[in-house]
Structure formats: C-alpha cells, structure tokens
Amino acid sequence: MSFFSRYREVIVCILALAIPFFLLRANLKDPGEMNSVDRVLVTLSTPVQWAMSAVVDSVGDTVTRYTFLVGVREEKERLKFEVQRLKAELAGFVEIEQEVRRLRLLLGFKESFRGNLLAARVVGRGTSEQFRVVRLVIETQDDTQIEKGMPVVTFEGLVGQVKRVAGSYADVLLTVDRKSLVPVVIQRNGAQGILRGLGEADRYSCDVEYLLRTDEVREGDQLFTSGAGGKFPEGILVGNIVSVQRENLGLFQKVIVEPAVRFSRLKEVFVVTGYEGDEKDADAATRRP
Amino acid sequence: MHLLALLATSFGLLVIQTTVAQLLPWEYFVPNLSLVVVVHLGLKQPLGQGAVLAFAIGYLIDTFAGASIGLHTFSAVATFLVSRLVFHRLFLQGKLFEALLAFSMACFDGILALIIRSVFDQSVDGLLMDVKIVVSRAVATALCAPLVFGLVSRFDPESSRRASTGERKRRR
C-alpha cells in the first residue's frame, strides 16, 4: 500500500483545513502585502467564487421573491379588508356631511323665514300616483299645533300642505298631486295663476292654470306663492317653468312647471304653523311657544 | 449519490436559513441549519468524504453569508473533525444528545470563527456581543437539530442499505 493510499483521508483533512486557512489569509491581506502564493490562491479562487455567488444569488433571489410574495398576498388581503372598512366609513361620513349641509340650509331657512315653523321628519312616501303624499313625523310633543291645510316647506321651496293629522304623524299632500292647488305668481312679470299638480307616474310636474295668453312667460321663469287666498305665505319658491304652449285660440296658455323641491330626496321639512299676514296669525301667535 | 443529496440538502437548508429565517421577528435567534448537517457528517460519514463535504458546505456558507472566503469553510471542517472525535469518544443516542451536540458544535463553530476573525482582522471589536449572538444562534440550532438530523439521516448509506434490504425481503 502506497503512502498516499494509507494516509489519504488524513491528507484530505489537512488539505480541507489548510486550503481555507490560506485562502482566508490571502483574502484578508492588503493587496500590496500579498506574496506570489497568495496571488495564485486568489486568482484561482476568484472564478469559482464568482460562479458560486451567481448561483447562490439567483437561488436566494428567487426564494426571497417568493417569500416576499407570500407576505404581499397577506398584505393584499389585509389592505383589501382595510379598503372595505374605510369605504364603509367614508360612506358614513358622506351621509353625515350631506345631513349637516341639509340641516344647515334648513336652519338658515328657519332663521330667515318670517313665521312659525315646526320641524318634521319624512318617514314614509306614498307610492300611488293618484295620491302624491309623504308621511311625516312631527318633532314636537304638542301635536295640537298641526292642522289640516297648513303649508309644508323646506329650504328648496314649497312641499305641499297638511292633508291629515293623526297624533304626531301627518300626511302631506304634495304640490304635484292632482288635488293640490296653489296660487302662484311669476317673479319676472307678476303674472298670476293657479298651480295644479299633474299627478304623473313617471315625473313630478305641475301646470299653471288661468295664466292669460297675453302674459309673456318663458322657460326658466321662477314661480313663487302669491299669498292669494291666505292659505300659503307669500314669496315661497314653488318651481321653474319648463315648457310653454300657446294655442292660437283660447284665453289661457299652457305652462308646465318643474317643482323646486326634489321630493325623492326629501328628509326633513317644516310645517308653517303661522306667518305674517295669515288670517289665523292672531290665533297662531297665541299658540307660539 | 447520497453525498450529492446531502450537499443539495445543505444548500436547501442554507436557502431557508438565509431567506425564510430572516423573516422571523428575532434577529439573532436564527438557527445554523447547515451546520447540523456538518455535525451529522461527523457522526455518520467516513473521514475523507466527510471532510470534503464539510469543506463544500462551509464554502457554501461563506458564499451565502458574503463573508471572507475560507472563514466558515475552515470552521466547518474543524467542526466536522471535532464532532467526529466526540462521537468516537462518547456513546450517546437520542434527540437530547443530538440537540446537545448541535448546541456545543454551534458554539464551537461560532467561537472558532470569532477567533479566526480576530487573528486575521485586527479591527474586530464588540467581541462580547458577538459571543452572545453565537450562544443565541447555538440555542436556535439545538432546537432545530433533531428535525435536521431526521431529515439528513434518510441519506445515510446505512439507512439506504437497510431500506433496500427490507425491500428485497418484502419482495421475497
């Protein structure tokens, strides 16, 4: 048996310890202090090291990217949930913001209105086109203040009139109901007529009766309550003229009006319990809190 | 063939060690999984083959760690020789032994690397902190050691021989 065969394993062990030792020594030395053996070791080890680093880097990158993606998926799920939560929260804030804006307008309207107003909340809507009504709940303990025929308004304009009262609830006949009649005046020229609801199924609209053909009206003209008859206070916005039809014959012209109030979005209203110039103003004054 | 399988396993363990383990919240409690393979080589492999494999694994650790080439290669070969020496002097078996051996070998490997570094690199400071890291890593290595031993023992020549003999007996 040769010397190498006999001590092969020991030689391998010595080499396995010596090679890294000298490699380390050569690598940690200043390039200026390297001797020829160090240079040979570094020169020989560099390509191997370069190849190994390339393999290790690519494998490491792949695995790191995968583990990173696992994290990303979890993060995505978490963010998705967070987005849903924030969307719900935002919807709540938008609702609150709209409510605040509406209530601010209502407050401004209440302060500028010359008369007594009683706040009420819309709790129901009639679905029949024959009876365009909304049901209100009155925000007061004293429901005796509400009477049939009292005007109902909002900051947008005239809503209608109280049709029926039951406890703290009241039904309001809207201006677009066929039975609703409101004396109106066209602001631009003072022409007067009676606003009657059309009770149409697919839209909220009214026409103006008894408007003389000679009265010059045009689309976009604004209509206000005239105060005639003493049922509605004067100067409440009712709507805008959207179409005018003048026949060659006849005394009156046909005018279609779009109400100023958006009935589908109605949430809070005021019942006018008394106003300046009201026939029952004296009585109303005695009822004021 | 089983040597290649062992090397591939070490590579895989190193990948896990350097990528997945880095995601753990504790920074210094990362186990040195490939070192357990080196310790296993000391218990099961012949001297020459084991030394070559320990060399290769140490070289891989150096490459993965970005350390000075030779540092972990040297300490891995030394750890292999020491674990072989321990195994031939003491007769111990079971998971506790594996964990204890892995802990002591991880400590040895870490401290040897520190010594080599301080010999070649004079600018080394914060040695006490480094020792603490070595010990905490050794604890983590010891905890994982039974698992890694279980994994790499599948590639032992003895166990593969036993498996093939059993297979033959079953066929008869």
Side-chain angles (χ1 to χ4, degrees):
Chain A
M1 195 183 270
S2 70
F3 176 81
F4 182 75
S5 307
R6 196 173 172 186
Y7 296 104
R8 193 180 63 184
E9 294 206 319
V10 178
I11 291 167
V12 167
C13 284
I14 290 168
L15 280 176
L17 279 173
I19 292 171
F21 181 83
F22 286 108
L23 209 57
L24 185 64
R25 191 168 153 267
N27 276 318
L28 288 176
K29 262 188 182 175
D30 273 341
E33 292 173 7
M34 278 185 180
N35 56 33
S36 52
V37 179
D38 294 334
R39 272 192 215 101
V40 168
L41 276 171
V42 170
T43 313
L44 286 176
S45 68
T46 303
V48 181
Q49 183 57 26
W50 179 82
M52 283 299 295
S53 295
V55 172
V56 164
D57 285 351
S58 61
V59 173
D61 280 355
T62 310
V63 176
T64 307
R65 220 170 288 147
Y66 175 75
T67 48
F68 175 72
L69 278 178
V70 172
V72 164
R73 199 168 60 187
E74 283 166 6
E75 183 75 2
K76 186 188 154 199
E77 289 303 316
R78 196 185 62 75
L79 288 174
K80 225 165 144 183
F81 176 76
E82 188 72 8
V83 165
Q84 293 297 329
R85 194 185 64 77
L86 288 173
K87 267 185 182 170
E89 207 170 303
L90 184 67
F93 283 135
V94 169
E95 181 70 21
I96 289 168
E97 194 227 348
Q98 283 174 351
E99 192 174 351
V100 166
R101 196 179 296 167
R102 216 170 47 238
L103 291 174
R104 206 174 276 167
L105 286 166
L106 277 169
L107 191 66
F109 175 78
K110 191 176 183 182
E111 279 168 3
S112 64
F113 190 81
R114 285 176 296 178
N116 290 336
L117 296 174
L118 200 64
R121 235 170 348 107
V122 176
V123 290
R125 285 183 173 81
T127 50
S128 163
E129 65 268 20
Q130 309 301 324
F131 303 99
R132 289 298 185 123
V133 291
V134 290
R135 179 156 290 173
L136 308 176
V137 60
I138 314 294
E139 315 253 328
T140 177
Q141 299 298 319
D142 183 12
D143 50 43
T144 56
Q145 290 182 79
I146 311 293
E147 287 172 15
K148 186 182 173 186
M150 280 183 168
V152 176
V153 294
T154 182
F155 60 88
E156 288 178 324
L158 185 70
V159 175
Q161 55 185 294
V162 174
K163 189 184 169 204
R164 192 185 302 126
V165 185
S168 58
Y169 290 91
D171 286 344
V172 176
L173 186 73
L174 302 182
T175 53
V176 290
D177 189 280
R178 281 179 199 279
K179 294 191 192 78
S180 167
L181 295 168
V182 181
V184 291
V185 59
I186 295 168
Q187 187 190 39
R188 193 172 52 80
N189 57 13
Q192 296 200 9
I194 302 291
L195 185 94
R196 178 192 286 274
L198 291 175
E200 288 177 332
D202 56 344
R203 62 174 182 159
Y204 293 111
S205 58
C206 312
D207 67 356
V208 183
E209 293 181 345
Y210 312 117
L211 194 62
L212 293 170
R213 277 187 70 227
T214 50
D215 290 330
E216 192 262 320
V217 291
R218 52 176 99 119
E219 288 175 17
D221 277 351
Q222 286 190 315
L223 273 76
F224 288 81
T225 49
S226 65
K231 199 169 184 180
F232 295 95
E234 189 185 341
I236 298 173
L237 181 65
V238 176
N240 302 304
I241 294 175
V242 288
S243 93
V244 181
Q245 288 175 25
R246 268 191 210 93
E247 304 293 336
N248 291 332
L249 296 168
L251 193 59
F252 306 109
Q253 55 187 321
K254 193 176 180 186
V255 171
I256 303 295
V257 175
E258 184 186 57
V261 175
R262 286 172 292 179
F263 295 106
S264 59
R265 296 184 191 177
L266 218 51
K267 285 195 172 175
E268 297 93 7
V269 293
F270 289 117
V271 179
V272 183
T273 55
Y275 57 92
E276 282 177 21
D278 185 4
E279 294 157 355
K280 301 173 283 182
D281 199 26
D283 297 340
T286 57
R287 286 199 300 268
R288 278 172 206 165
Chain B
M1 196 63 195
H2 72 275
L3 294 180
L4 275 178
L6 275 173
L7 193 63
T9 309
S10 303
F11 188 84
L13 290 172
L14 262 173
V15 171
I16 293 170
Q17 189 178 312
T18 50
T19 53
V20 181
Q22 299 301 323
L23 300 174
L24 297 174
W26 39 83
E27 195 181 349
Y28 299 123
F29 204 67
V30 180
N32 193 348
L33 300 174
S34 50
L35 189 81
V36 183
V37 182
V38 173
V39 176
H40 177 265
L41 293 176
L43 310 184
K44 303 280 178 180
Q45 294 297 322
L47 186 64
Q49 282 182 4
V52 172
L53 259 183
F55 180 93
I57 293 169
Y59 192 82
L60 276 177
I61 298 173
D62 274 334
T63 314
F64 265 96
S68 306
I69 294 300
L71 180 68
H72 290 106
T73 316
F74 183 84
S75 67
V77 177
T79 305
F80 160 74
L81 291 172
V82 173
S83 59
R84 189 177 168 79
L85 200 72
V86 169
F87 184 65
H88 283 275
R89 291 286 177 277
L90 303 168
F91 180 76
L92 292 164
Q93 263 188 331
K95 300 230 179 294
L96 187 65
F97 161 67
E98 288 170 352
L100 277 173
L101 187 67
F103 174 76
S104 48
M105 286 302 112
C107 284
F108 171 77
D109 177 80
I111 289 166
L112 184 65
L114 281 182
I115 291 168
I116 297 167
R117 246 176 62 196
S118 57
V119 167
F120 286 111
D121 189 2
Q122 300 297 323
S123 64
V124 172
D125 48 2
L127 203 66
L128 189 68
M129 181 62 191
D130 286 346
V131 172
K132 276 183 190 169
I133 294 167
V134 165
V135 174
S136 63
R137 289 200 71 181
V139 172
T141 307
L143 289 175
C144 298
L147 273 175
V148 181
F149 272 115
L151 176 72
V152 291
S153 60
R154 290 160 188 263
F155 309 120
D156 288 345
E158 284 171 30
S159 33
S160 21
R161 217 176 296 136
R162 245 180 278 134
S164 59
T165 317
E167 184 70 22
R168 244 178 277 138
K169 276 180 186 170
R170 251 178 274 131
R171 274 184 200 161
R172 274 179 212 163

